[in-house]
Amino acid sequence: MALVLNAFNEDNIILASKYIRDGKLVAFPTETVYGLGANALNRIAVAKIFEVKNRPNFDPLIVHIANKEDIYNYVEEINEDVLRLINEFWPGPLTLVLKKKNIIPDIVTSGLDTVAIRMPANLIALKLIKYSNLPIAAPSANPFNYISPTTAKAVLESIGDKIDVILDGGKTQFGLESTIITFDENNQVILLRPGALEIEKIEKLLNKKVIIYNKPNILAPGQTQHHYKPHKELIIIKNLTTTNTPLLIKKIEKELNLNKLYFLLTFKNDYLENFKEMYKLDFVIDYLSQNNDYYEIASNLFEKLYIADKSDKEVILVNEVLKESLGLAIMNRLEKAATKTISIR
Ligand code: TXA
Ligand code: MG
């Protein structure tokens, strides 16, 4: 079983950094989700990450650094836009896919000639990297395709028996992974994965459109159709409003015909509480946000999905959000996790 260490004690971060230097696996908090870290320059340590996660070797890892300047050690071509982006958004949830230097082992990048790199904005993560004095390769600390962990508990319960250390730094801030971008040959910005940094902010800084890239292929390996999946059935509910809530009950009776449901909603909906009483439905209703705040929804999403998945309910229903700002990343995760979508209309 992993050694769980309180990350608010500096000595524990130092201890964890020794594990990294020894080629061991350390789960640690970032501002997005928990990462499963290893020395990015140690092939064997990196191979263990793939083994523990049951991750296919075509799905490359992100390299985490603690100083912006370290990008020069690992990346070949750094253009003006890259400099502007890292000055503005690092440390933070932006991952850049750029030409790699030879020092980065092929196993990290799945044989690609590019590397994904970011500087996280979490003090514990930054200290772990600094004390290790190494770049840390880290995917999200969950089994491949499962819900990403936003708490140390979720890491412990899913892969705790296969790793060495978990640095417990509490719940992560954003709750959604970083935004991943790259550049094409015309220096256009290509979005490989929507995430915690809104693309609108990138567009504003660079004064150019971000091209949304959603065909899974060599440019975006690992962005598979089914990802972030709970074990249970997950259904996205479209067009649910407080006024048409009665229609939801009808839909459930007609289309789903299930007696046990677990609800996760994006907004506070008093009607639902009433209908639950009226129809004697066996629901658990939980709110991703009290007031449709996308930051709050994002930070709760994986945690509540995880709780729902562990509960005794059979189906998870999640209300859709608009695909703008953080909503783009929220819906990207939900659509990959969902088994189907129903519309209330
Ligand atoms: O917020 C995050 O990004 C978290 C924390 C731990 O930093 N990490 C994370 O890693 O989400 P992971 O492994 O779950 O997702 C990384 C994704 C890969 O699935 C792949 O799609 C993309 O990054 N990626 C990595 N290297 C790439 C490359 N060279 N070219 C294209 N995509 C790459
Ligand atoms: Mg992941």
Side-chain angles (χ1 to χ4, degrees):
M1 229 355 130
L3 185 62
V4 181
L5 300 172
N6 174 359
F8 297 102
N9 176 342
E10 189 99 4
D11 291 341
N12 284 336
I13 306 180
I14 295 173
L15 178 60
S17 72
K18 293 187 176 136
Y19 277 82
I20 293 279
R21 292 199 65 80
D22 277 352
K24 302 271 172 35
L25 300 191
V26 175
F28 63 99
T30 76
E31 80 280 32
T32 59
V33 299
Y34 273 74
L36 178 60
N39 173 359
L41 306 181
N42 177 333
R43 289 174 178 74
I44 296 165
V46 172
K48 281 191 224 161
I49 293 180
F50 285 88
E51 195 183 309
V52 163
K53 281 188 57 106
N54 219 344
R55 180 176 174 119
N57 59 12
F58 59 76
D59 189 1
L61 306 178
I62 297 174
V63 172
H64 297 70
I65 57 177
N67 295 299
K68 292 181 192 179
E69 302 74 49
D70 286 350
I71 191 173
Y72 291 101
N73 297 333
Y74 309 115
V75 166
E76 205 64 79
E77 290 158 20
I78 296 168
N79 64 36
E80 274 297 308
D81 284 345
V82 170
L83 290 177
R84 288 167 73 186
L85 287 166
I86 69 179
N87 282 332
E88 182 75 16
F89 299 123
W90 278 8
L94 174 67
T95 296
L96 300 168
V97 170
L98 300 165
K99 274 264 168 325
K100 84 174 183 82
K101 285 201 166 158
N102 281 338
I103 184 173
I104 299 289
D106 283 340
I107 187 168
V108 172
T109 64
S110 301
L112 296 175
D113 62 0
T114 53
V115 62
I117 190 161
R118 84 177 190 99
M119 178 182 176
N122 173 296
L123 268 185
I124 297 161
L126 289 171
K127 283 181 180 168
L128 179 68
I129 303 165
K130 275 188 187 142
Y131 287 130
S132 309
N133 201 17
L134 288 165
I136 294 185
S140 48
N142 50 290
F144 184 65
N145 278 356
Y146 194 57
I147 305 164
S148 301
T150 56
T151 61
K153 181 168 177 275
V155 178
L156 183 67
E157 288 173 356
S158 62
I159 55 170
D161 55 343
K162 302 192 186 98
I163 66 177
D164 302 291
V165 174
I166 300 173
L167 271 176
D168 185 351
K171 183 174 162 173
T172 60
Q173 181 195 345
F174 286 100
L176 272 185
E177 297 88 344
S178 61
T179 300
I180 307 180
I181 61 168
T182 192
F183 295 87
D184 71 5
E185 58 283 2
N186 303 320
N187 208 26
Q188 303 234 63
V189 184
I190 317 281
L191 180 71
L192 299 178
R193 177 180 73 183
L197 179 71
E198 303 92 321
I199 58 171
E200 292 87 344
K201 289 188 180 160
I202 298 172
E203 291 178 330
K204 191 162 169 226
L205 179 79
L206 300 182
N207 195 22
K208 51 169 103 160
K209 271 274 168 225
V210 169
I211 299 165
I212 298 181
Y213 189 91
N214 45 22
K215 284 166 265 165
N217 83 1
I218 193 73
L219 254 192
Q223 295 300 303
T224 46
Q225 197 57 39
H226 299 291
H227 220 101
Y228 315 104
K229 263 186 125 49
H231 299 305
K232 293 185 177 158
E233 194 181 347
L234 187 150
I235 297 170
I236 299 174
I237 312 284
K238 284 193 187 276
N239 307 312
L240 177 68
T241 63
T242 45
T243 47
N244 70 12
T245 302
L247 294 178
L248 171 66
I249 310 299
K250 288 220 171 67
K251 272 263 170 212
I252 289 167
E253 281 176 341
K254 197 168 115 232
E255 278 195 38
L256 304 173
N257 192 23
L258 298 160
N259 47 14
K260 290 204 169 174
L261 299 168
Y262 194 100
F263 259 97
L264 296 173
L265 291 177
T266 54
F267 50 80
K268 180 96 180 117
N269 185 339
D270 293 332
Y271 286 77
L272 257 180
E273 302 279 359
N274 295 339
F275 282 103
K276 182 181 156 186
E277 288 302 306
M278 248 169 74
Y279 285 79
K280 302 262 172 292
L281 292 166
D282 187 15
F283 283 6
V284 171
I285 300 179
D286 203 350
Y287 299 107
L288 289 169
S289 165
Q290 295 292 333
N291 51 12
N292 222 0
D293 176 279
Y294 282 18
Y295 281 92
E296 196 185 342
I297 293 169
S299 73
N300 284 327
L301 183 68
F302 284 139
E303 189 186 17
K304 301 238 179 199
L305 282 180
Y306 184 76
I307 292 168
D309 206 29
K310 293 263 158 194
S311 76
D312 62 352
K313 302 293 178 248
E314 296 157 14
V315 181
I316 305 169
L317 301 178
V318 188
N319 202 71
E320 72 167 346
V321 296
L322 292 179
K323 286 185 184 171
E324 59 187 30
S325 151
L326 269 190
L328 188 67
I330 293 168
M331 286 312 291
N332 167 274
R333 305 304 188 270
L334 280 179
E335 282 169 358
K336 290 187 181 202
T339 34
K340 76 180 201 188
T341 297
I342 60 172
S343 174
I344 309 302
R345 248 191 209 148

